[in-house]
């Protein structure tokens, strides 16, 4: 599927369809009718894996199993050739995680992601017209709105990668206690 059917035009209404929130869908919309779109999507997927895997591994090693699972899930959604908006069910456990962390210690670093997630939940990605190749004519604002799941996830991955590389706690670690055993994650070795 990854190398065959997903690249066939109009497969599952077409990879460029506006509700396909994957790297492939976004690139197909940015470069309609280009033979380079799918190979670029494959390269972008490999780059995504190269960034997400160390993030997930670091979170797991720090005791943040849920954070590691969510990073892995969102990476899977990004690299899949087709990730319809209803495939993004991982937003629900992310919301639960963020709310539980914010309740324990409301801080900007735990509340800001909730606000961003709520914005995604309003259906921003469904504002631009979709179907009948309307996506091929999106302007920049429509591209930003129509690709908000992908762009938002890439932004979070970038922030996490920088924070973890700098040795700073991740967004999900900013709540002071680990959900696993009630001790600071940094003290669990």
């Amino acid at each position: 599927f990854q190398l065959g059917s997903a690249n066939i035009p109009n497969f599952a209404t077409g990879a460029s369809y506006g509700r396909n929130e994957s790297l492939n869908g976004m690139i197909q919309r940015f470069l309609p009718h280009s033979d380079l779109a799918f190979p670029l999507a494959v390269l972008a997927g490999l780059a995504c894996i190269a960034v997400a895997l160390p993030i997930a591994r670091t979170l797991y090693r720090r005791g943040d199993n849920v954070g590691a699972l969510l990073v892995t899930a969102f990476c899977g959604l990004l690299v899949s050739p087709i990730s319809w908006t209803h495939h993004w069910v991982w937003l629900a456990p992310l919301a639960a995680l963020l709310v539980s962390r914010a309740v324990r210690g409301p801080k900007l670093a735990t509340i800001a992601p909730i606000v961003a997630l709520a914005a995604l939940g309003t259906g921003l990605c469904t504002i631009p017209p979709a179907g009948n190749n309307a996506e091929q004519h999106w302007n920049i604002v429509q591209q930003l709105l129509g690709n908000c799941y992908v762009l938002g996830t890439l932004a979070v991955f970038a922030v996490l990668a920088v924070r973890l590389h700098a040795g700073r706690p991740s967004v999900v670690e900013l709540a002071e206690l680990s959900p696993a055993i009630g001790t600071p994650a940094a003290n669990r070795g």
Side-chain angles (χ1 to χ4, degrees), residues 2-5 8 13 26 28 34 54 72 86 98 100 110 124 138 142 145 147 149 160 165-166 178 181-182 186 189:
Q2 297 279 17
L3 298 175
S5 299
I8 298 172
T13 72
M26 181 178 74
Q28 296 283 347
S34 173
T72 304
H86 64 268
L98 292 173
S100 73
T110 55
L124 289 175
W138 282 359
Q142 291 170 322
L145 291 173
N147 295 304
Y149 284 18
L160 286 173
H165 180 71
S178 166
I181 52 177

Side-chain angles (χ1 to χ4, degrees), residues 12 33 81 96 111 125 179:
H33 307 297
I111 295 172
C125 69

Side-chain angles (χ1 to χ4, degrees), residues 4-16 28 33-35 133 136:
S5 299
N7 199 28
I8 298 172
N10 294 321
F11 180 78
T13 72
S16 67
Q28 296 283 347
H33 307 297
S34 173
D35 291 337
N133 296 318
Q136 296 174 10

Side-chain angles (χ1 to χ4, degrees), residues 69-82:
L69 173 69
L70 290 171
V71 168
T72 304
F74 286 114
C75 178
L77 288 166
L78 290 177
V79 303
S80 176
I82 296 179

Side-chain angles (χ1 to χ4, degrees), residues 1-121:
F1 179 77
Q2 297 279 17
L3 298 175
S5 299
N7 199 28
I8 298 172
N10 294 321
F11 180 78
T13 72
S16 67
Y17 180 66
R19 305 308 175 249
N20 178 12
E21 290 290 322
S22 69
L23 289 167
N24 182 44
M26 181 178 74
I27 292 170
Q28 296 283 347
R29 288 187 289 276
F30 278 135
L31 301 171
H33 307 297
S34 173
D35 291 337
L36 292 177
F38 189 71
L40 285 174
V42 170
L43 291 175
L46 292 172
C48 180
I49 291 167
V51 170
L53 184 60
I55 293 171
R57 183 184 66 229
T58 300
L59 291 174
Y60 177 77
R61 286 182 176 168
R62 291 183 179 184
D64 191 349
N65 298 344
V66 175
L69 173 69
L70 290 171
V71 168
T72 304
F74 286 114
C75 178
L77 288 166
L78 290 177
V79 303
S80 176
I82 296 179
S83 292
W84 302 131
T85 52
H86 64 268
H87 293 166
W88 285 72
V89 296
W90 290 100
L91 292 171
L94 174 61
L97 175 70
L98 292 173
V99 168
S100 73
R101 303 284 168 99
V103 167
R104 282 187 277 159
K107 300 175 186 165
L108 180 60
T110 55
I111 295 172
I114 294 171
V115 172
L117 191 59
L120 283 178

Side-chain angles (χ1 to χ4, degrees), residues 170-188:
S170 69
V171 172
V172 293
E173 290 178 318
L174 289 175
E176 295 176 352
L177 297 177
S178 166
I181 52 177
T183 59
N187 293 343
R188 288 195 277 138

